[in-house]
Amino acid sequence: MNHNKYEVVLDHACQLGEGPVWDADQQRILWVDILPGEIHSFYPASGEHRIFKTGQMTGAIALLPSGNFIAALQHGFHEISLENETVVPIADPEVHLPENRFNDGKCDPAGRFWAGTMAVDERPGAGALYMLDNDQSVSIKVENVTCSNGLAWSLDHQLLYYIDSPTRQVVAYEYDVTTGTIANKRVVIQFQEEDGFPDGMTIDEKGMLWIALWDGWKVIRCNPNTGERLQQIDLPAARITSCTFGGDSLEDLYITSAKTGLSQQELAEQPLAGCLFIVKNTGIKGIPTHGLPKP
């Protein structure tokens, strides 16, 4: 089933838009533009759009109870206050790998922040997936990663779903919510070359995965139990990067995209590349954003 009622949220194109997060408390959508190191916030009710520059490439953010963020920047984990305009380092597990940067990240059901890395030049196997625990210790979860991307946890908190984009796979690990340990990797969804590359993803209240397809022009909804494709949202940009549910009832799907790496001809053919899109009233609810716990 196709669903094509997308709208453009605002007249701004990111180089590499990614990592959308719905902030229910402030009724705003947040996302990052990785390459210039920007955190974007947009308030649908007022139409206000704010941009904060972090000073380095910015892969992902997660909400803190204080209203601040944990961010995965090029050089490690930081706490960021948009109000105070501060960027405070927490830990850099790859201080010895200055040619790497952090990419996608997300909080797990226990409030730990997971984020993965990749080489800036995208060389194979240079990255890893890390977990920042609630005591701010960092552990490595998956090694030999090329482009660490989408993360989601099953509704019963028994599985971690994960994407290393060049594999064209979504894999599942058995996941222990108490300790954060993962084990027994298996492939649950396999994409083909014509699909593009799986990128960011989110999960809905029925446990189905919504997966953005880089160079695939779409978001697809898949059943991770069977691999079945349930529906797709076709979009006017090739490089679709991630998605998340937002709005009052968590039935609006926000979708990020990118224009980096496109030729002049491709940019002319895709004037909306890099924009933030929304599909309103999907009829399916997301789940509330996992955030870090109150101390």
Side-chain angles (χ1 to χ4, degrees):
M1 183 178 75
N2 288 11
H3 193 320
N4 292 313
K5 297 177 187 171
Y6 70 84
E7 299 173 25
V8 178
V9 174
L10 74 163
D11 183 20
H12 177 92
C14 289
Q15 292 182 47
L16 183 48
E18 254 285 9
V21 175
W22 177 252
D23 180 355
D25 287 344
Q26 295 207 33
Q27 289 290 296
R28 61 180 173 172
I29 185 69
L30 302 149
W31 71 104
V32 301
D33 192 352
I34 292 177
L35 300 179
E38 296 173 348
I39 299 173
H40 291 255
S41 50
F42 180 76
Y43 298 78
S46 67
E48 182 182 4
H49 175 217
R50 300 179 186 172
I51 303 174
F52 175 77
K53 296 183 181 296
T54 68
Q56 51 182 293
M57 284 190 276
T58 303
I61 55 173
L63 294 162
L64 286 165
S66 63
N68 290 354
F69 303 101
I70 294 288
L73 304 185
Q74 179 174 4
H75 303 302
F77 298 108
H78 293 68
E79 182 171 345
I80 292 179
S81 168
L82 298 188
E83 283 64 37
N84 298 326
E85 299 187 348
T86 54
V87 181
V88 179
I90 296 171
D92 184 2
E94 293 195 347
V95 67
H96 58 297
L97 298 171
E99 300 307 310
N100 277 11
R101 69 167 176 83
F102 268 90
N103 200 47
D104 209 354
K106 201 169 284 186
C107 277
D108 73 5
R112 311 176 191 94
F113 187 47
W114 296 59
T117 57
M118 59 181 286
V120 173
D121 66 5
E122 299 184 20
R123 69 184 184 279
L129 177 65
Y130 295 91
M131 184 184 79
L132 176 68
D133 213 329
N134 296 325
D135 63 1
Q136 299 194 337
S137 63
V138 179
S139 54
I140 190 165
K141 293 298 179 182
V142 182
E143 296 183 275
N144 193 36
V145 171
T146 299
C147 182
S148 189
N149 246 315
L151 294 155
W153 286 264
S154 61
L155 302 185
D156 63 4
H157 304 165
Q158 298 292 305
L159 297 172
L160 162 67
Y161 299 112
Y162 178 57
I163 292 169
D164 179 6
S165 289
T167 66
R168 289 195 164 95
Q169 295 173 340
V170 180
V171 299
Y173 292 89
E174 294 173 10
Y175 163 76
D176 186 322
V177 69
T178 305
T179 62
T181 55
I182 58 174
N184 298 326
K185 171 184 170 183
R186 59 188 170 87
V187 177
V188 292
I189 302 167
Q190 176 72 58
F191 294 96
Q192 306 306 314
E193 187 173 348
E194 61 267 22
D195 294 319
F197 295 94
D199 199 321
M201 64 179 164
T202 192
I203 195 165
D204 65 31
E205 67 171 2
K206 297 188 182 301
M208 303 296 109
L209 297 174
W210 297 69
I211 303 160
L213 292 172
W214 175 273
D215 285 343
W217 300 82
K218 64 178 77 71
V219 170
I220 62 167
R221 182 181 187 234
C222 291
N223 183 336
N225 303 310
T226 64
E228 180 186 2
R229 301 184 183 197
L230 304 172
Q231 66 190 90
Q232 72 182 46
I233 298 168
D234 297 315
L235 294 153
R239 302 197 149 172
I240 305 304
T241 56
S242 194
C243 56
T244 198
F245 285 94
D248 289 341
S249 62
L250 293 179
E251 290 185 69
D252 299 337
L253 190 72
Y254 285 93
I255 303 165
T256 50
S257 70
K259 62 179 181 178
T260 185
L262 296 178
S263 68
Q264 288 302 117
Q265 181 177 343
E266 287 169 325
L267 288 168
E269 293 167 351
Q270 301 175 44
L272 298 177
C275 286
L276 178 69
F277 304 103
I278 186 172
V279 176
K280 294 181 178 175
N281 303 316
T282 60
I284 299 166
K285 292 179 185 284
I287 62 171
T289 301
H290 295 308
L292 282 86
K294 290 181 168 59

